[in-house]
Amino acid sequence: AQSVAQPEDQVNVAEGNPLTVKCTYSVSGNPYLFWYVQYPNRGLQFLLKYITGDNLVKGSYGFEAEFNKSQTSFHLKKPSALVSDSALYFCAVRDSHQAGTALIFGKGTTLSVSS
Amino acid sequence: KAGVTQTPRYLIKTRGQQVTLSCSPISGHRSVSWYQQTPGQGLQFLFEYFSETQRNKGNFPGRFSGRQFSNSRSEMNVSTLELGDSALYLCASSGLASQSTETQYFGPGTRLLVL
């Protein structure tokens, strides 16, 4: 069965410092991996995805993520955090063997950036 | 291009009632998925519709149902509401072929409160 783990409920970082939000996954086939961000009382906004190819994926708002097949990880990173990055971040996965577009989500990680 | 729209945005119902939520996908998108978001269970997949056919279904009771119209608009219905159905219901749409590589774009959600 597919699953996603976000081991940290909350990540705290000072503005200007690099940030990392961790994600690990489990699928039977090849993983298709996604990151979304959710601001209070809003829906999910797409940040980036990994389907195939380069392990370093660049996305919106300066975020990037690194796919590591041996560690089954897809950590979200940003070189310099902004206070406005404070939000709830979700990692999600699909299995290449599955039909359709259903996503399996992690529990989410709250990012808090202090000024 | 307009994003995914959901109506209503907020809804208050009492136990035993039924409710219908509506979702209009991004223009040209043919796949629509529904998710339930709660603090305890996180984001859970309800079902996916593509070309008016239910393609996938999550692990929810039969009280939860949906449909898709020829213009790709979708509705979900919850009958005999329970307190535990209180949640944010998110609709997501994706491209032309319901392929597993496609990105899902989410609407703002409908917040349902069951009293």
Side-chain angles (χ1 to χ4, degrees), chain A residues 32 34 36 38 41-46 49 51 88 90 94-96 98-107, chain B residues 9 31 33 35 37 40-43 45 48 55-56 88 90 94 98-104 106-108:
Chain A
Y32 299 148
F34 301 79
Y36 288 86
Q38 185 176 37
N41 300 313
R42 303 281 294 275
L44 274 63
Q45 294 180 29
F46 169 71
K49 69 179 179 182
I51 302 299
L88 182 57
F90 289 97
R94 285 192 202 117
D95 190 319
S96 61
Q98 81 176 64
T101 56
L103 287 167
I104 303 300
F105 284 90
K107 290 293 187 183
Chain B
R9 292 292 310 277
S31 172
S33 294
Y35 294 84
Q37 184 178 19
Q41 298 300 317
L43 280 155
F45 170 73
E48 177 193 4
R55 182 157 186 178
N56 280 313
L88 181 67
L90 293 164
S94 62
S98 183
Q99 294 180 349
S100 56
T101 55
E102 292 175 353
T103 298
Q104 286 190 323
F106 285 78

Side-chain angles (χ1 to χ4, degrees), chain A residues 15-66:
Chain A
E15 188 174 32
N17 284 358
L19 69 87
T20 299
V21 183
K22 296 179 180 177
C23 171
T24 59
Y25 66 88
S26 175
V27 297
S28 57
N30 292 320
Y32 299 148
L33 294 153
F34 301 79
W35 275 102
Y36 288 86
V37 60
Q38 185 176 37
Y39 295 96
N41 300 313
R42 303 281 294 275
L44 274 63
Q45 294 180 29
F46 169 71
L47 286 177
L48 51 78
K49 69 179 179 182
Y50 171 83
I51 302 299
T52 187
D54 194 349
N55 289 344
L56 186 63
V57 179
K58 294 188 183 298
S60 306
Y61 313 118
F63 285 94
E64 58 189 28
E66 186 168 11

